[in-house]
Amino acid sequence: MRGLHADTGYLLYRLGLRSGQLFNTFLQESGLRLRHYALLRFLATSEGALQRELSTHLGYDPSAIVGLVDDLEKLGFAERRPSPDDRRSRIVVLTENGRGFLRDTDEAGLRVTNELLGPLDATERETLHTLLQRVAEDGLA
């Protein structure tokens, strides 16, 4: 019988938990959690998105997106605006305050990643990132 650490899926799960714990610890002071951070990072790469699009792209339940956007609006990091294509719909966009928050957290985010990937050298980190991107593009698209 194989041990748990021989199971790649289990290792990915455990590393995901550890990564989430580290990111949530670093975000704790701001009152945000990793889900908020992910949403902000996604918005930083777009001109805005409908809430249902955020749900699809991030893999979060639509009802969770509503609460996350509400939280980010209260902090002034995101706002809902009328959609130019459909006046009944609203798009979520990143505000300048949200962009500033992301800039301010870039270094801390790198520290978290460096702590998590400490045992790997730069080449191994790049290889791991490339492999994870390939798996994510195929399995999370």
Side-chain angles (χ1 to χ4, degrees):
M1 178 155 52
R2 297 180 326 148
L4 278 176
H5 288 146
D7 186 323
T8 302
Y10 176 76
L11 289 174
L12 288 169
Y13 167 75
R14 288 296 308 249
L15 288 171
L17 286 177
R18 180 70 180 132
S19 176
Q21 290 168 342
L22 290 171
F23 266 95
N24 282 331
T25 298
F26 120 72
L27 290 169
Q28 190 171 22
E29 188 175 299
S30 69
L32 298 181
R33 307 225 2 111
L34 182 55
R35 291 178 145 225
H36 296 98
Y37 185 78
L39 197 152
L40 288 172
R41 282 280 170 214
F42 179 82
L43 290 175
T45 65
S46 71
E47 295 295 317
L50 297 169
Q51 287 184 178
R52 68 179 168 271
E53 292 172 336
L54 292 171
S55 175
T56 301
H57 287 290
L58 296 171
Y60 298 163
D61 186 84
S63 62
I65 293 292
V66 172
L68 293 171
V69 173
D70 286 347
D71 294 343
L72 294 174
E73 272 194 315
K74 287 177 191 165
L75 292 167
F77 292 167
E79 64 184 21
R80 292 175 175 99
R81 294 182 183 162
S83 171
D85 301 328
D86 180 358
R87 293 186 318 185
R88 296 169 295 164
S89 297
R90 312 217 8 110
I91 59 171
V92 181
V93 296
L94 188 65
T95 64
E96 279 307 310
N97 286 342
R99 288 186 196 289
F101 175 79
L102 288 175
R103 276 191 303 275
D104 292 345
T105 59
D106 278 345
E107 187 178 318
L110 287 174
R111 282 196 310 269
V112 167
T113 299
N114 287 335
E115 182 176 336
L116 187 66
L117 301 180
L120 305 179
D121 66 30
T123 302
E124 292 169 324
R125 288 176 189 209
E126 187 174 324
T127 299
L128 176 63
H129 186 82
T130 299
L131 293 171
L132 288 172
Q133 274 186 316
R134 190 173 353 153
V135 171
E137 287 169 3
D138 185 57
L140 301 177

